[in-house]
Amino acid sequence: MRYHIESFHHRPTGTLSHILVCAHSKQCAIIDPCYDFDIFSGRIGTDSADKLVRYVQGNNLECQWILETHAHADHLTSAQWIKKQVGGKIAIGEGIQKVQLHFREVFGLSDSFPTDGRQFDYLFKDQEEFVLGELSIKVIATPGHTNDSVSYQVEDSVFVGDTVFAPHRGSARCDFPGGDAATLYQSIQKIFDIGESTHLYLCHDYPGENEPPVICVTVADQIESNVQISRYVSLEEYVKKRTQRDSGLAIPKLLYPSIQVNINAGHLPEPNNDGRQYLKIPIKF
Ligand SMILES: [Fe+2]
């Protein structure tokens, strides 16, 4: 095998982080790493991020990239922490600029918060290819859940971010700013068109306490049995189902903490005059 994928499941947020390794060069990319964050105490932990770091160090890997599939709304990225431990360039899709522009206003950030994505080390364009050792990775823009969503394809495997979930769970929500169900439908078709034997590495799963997460499924599994977007579901039907489902969903518990860190490439807020760091929650009546 020319590459290996090691996956890690973060039970509190259901997030799946992956490490893609080029078997020949031992270079690796870390995809969607997260912090442990307790919203009640404000405490940030690195136990989960440390597992990834230990895997990289324990296998003598050289971290080249830390890849985000999008600015997540359910967990804080630990990209900066990981970079400090093992190196690597932090990258995301160029659609992050639109997400930054929107949330700069939501969080009342000053004009000094750049919205050109410069907080990241690199912004990918749709269809861009880059190298990891002897592997070539293709970036596929897959908007719909968010403006900045991308998938990363390496040979017959794709890290799909929040496009599709496990077949029994359906697809990602489309009611965030910049989200659009018809756009997500088209993005998912792009992924399906890669071929039925393609392996899709998921970004989330929410198993029961003693159940393992679903980490990877094939395109064939999805088009046969995905509850929201199998081959039997038309665009119109999907949009209707998705919109209905989204109207009943709660705001993610970590939306505000996550977004303000994640649009800033994982940098935590600058300390106040008192030397402490704070996250903001906009309030409204
Ligand atoms: Fe997401």
Side-chain angles (χ1 to χ4, degrees), residues 50-61 85-86:
D50 286 342
K51 282 185 198 159
L52 277 63
V53 167
R54 279 200 298 275
Y55 185 86
V56 171
Q57 292 173 337
N59 290 282
N60 295 317
L61 307 178
Q85 312 303 313
V86 294

Side-chain angles (χ1 to χ4, degrees), residues 69-75 145-146 149 161-162 165 172-173 176 203-204:
T69 54
H70 61 296
H72 306 271
D74 66 317
H75 67 265
H145 169 58
T146 61
S149 293
D162 283 2
F165 294 159
R173 64 195 294 172
F176 292 155
C203 184
H204 287 107

Side-chain angles (χ1 to χ4, degrees), residues 1-280:
M1 196 66 172
R2 283 164 46 81
Y3 63 92
H4 171 72
I5 296 167
E6 191 74 19
S7 301
F8 301 79
H9 185 240
H10 185 244
R11 235 162 232 277
T13 61
T15 303
L16 287 157
S17 307
H18 308 281
I19 301 182
L20 167 66
V21 183
C22 167
H24 182 79
S25 68
K26 298 278 186 187
Q27 292 187 1
C28 74
I30 298 179
I31 299 147
D32 290 333
C34 53
Y35 270 135
D36 302 299
F37 176 62
D38 179 51
I39 188 149
F40 301 110
S41 63
R43 192 169 292 283
I44 291 178
T46 59
D47 286 357
S48 304
D50 286 342
K51 282 185 198 159
L52 277 63
V53 167
R54 279 200 298 275
Y55 185 86
V56 171
Q57 292 173 337
N59 290 282
N60 295 317
L61 307 178
E62 193 188 321
C63 182
Q64 294 288 306
W65 293 96
I66 302 165
L67 306 173
E68 300 287 352
T69 54
H70 61 296
H72 306 271
D74 66 317
H75 67 265
L76 280 65
T77 174
S78 59
Q80 295 292 340
W81 170 263
I82 298 264
K83 181 177 172 175
K84 216 189 270 178
Q85 312 303 313
V86 294
K89 288 193 283 287
I90 301 173
I92 198 165
E94 63 180 354
I96 189 65
Q97 295 168 333
K98 286 186 194 159
V99 181
Q100 288 177 325
L101 191 61
H102 177 85
F103 281 103
R104 179 168 74 177
E105 202 267 317
V106 170
F107 289 114
L109 302 173
S110 70
D111 287 351
S112 63
F113 180 83
T115 58
D116 59 2
R118 76 179 70 165
Q119 299 91 334
F120 294 81
D121 297 316
Y122 195 80
L123 300 185
F124 291 121
K125 290 187 185 343
D126 186 21
Q127 301 298 311
E128 185 168 347
E129 297 198 19
F130 63 99
V131 163
L132 179 71
E134 293 196 340
L135 305 172
S136 175
I137 303 175
K138 185 158 100 175
V139 180
I140 306 165
T142 43
H145 169 58
T146 61
N147 270 319
D148 61 332
S149 293
V150 292
S151 298
Y152 298 101
Q153 180 184 359
V154 55
E155 300 183 2
D156 64 349
S157 296
V158 185
F159 301 93
V160 293
D162 283 2
T163 52
V164 274
F165 294 159
H168 66 292
R169 296 195 193 280
S171 65
R173 64 195 294 172
C174 296
D175 58 336
F176 292 155
D180 181 69
T183 306
L184 184 59
Y185 182 92
Q186 304 298 356
S187 291
I188 292 171
Q189 300 311 317
K190 268 202 252 179
I191 300 286
F192 288 179
D193 286 347
I194 298 171
E196 293 206 4
S197 60
T198 308
H199 292 87
L200 306 182
Y201 282 83
L202 308 177
C203 184
H204 287 107
D205 195 38
Y206 309 93
E209 212 177 316
N210 298 311
E211 291 167 2
V214 178
I215 293 169
C216 176
V217 297
T218 63
V219 167
D221 295 334
Q222 296 287 18
I223 60 181
E224 195 50 47
S225 58
N226 187 290
V227 292
Q228 285 174 350
I229 193 160
S230 69
R231 76 165 93 225
Y232 311 106
V233 179
S234 69
L235 169 65
E236 293 71 27
E237 236 180 299
Y238 174 73
V239 170
K240 198 170 152 206
K241 262 200 234 182
R242 189 65 260 173
T243 312
Q244 252 168 16
R245 173 111 179 85
D246 288 346
S247 67
L249 293 177
I251 299 269
K253 196 169 70 174
L254 298 184
L255 172 76
Y256 290 124
S258 303
I259 290 286
Q260 64 198 284
V261 170
N262 297 345
I263 60 170
N264 202 14
H267 291 288
L268 298 172
E270 287 296 318
N272 255 15
N273 292 338
D274 61 9
R276 294 192 288 184
Q277 291 164 285
Y278 297 86
L279 289 162
K280 278 184 175 179

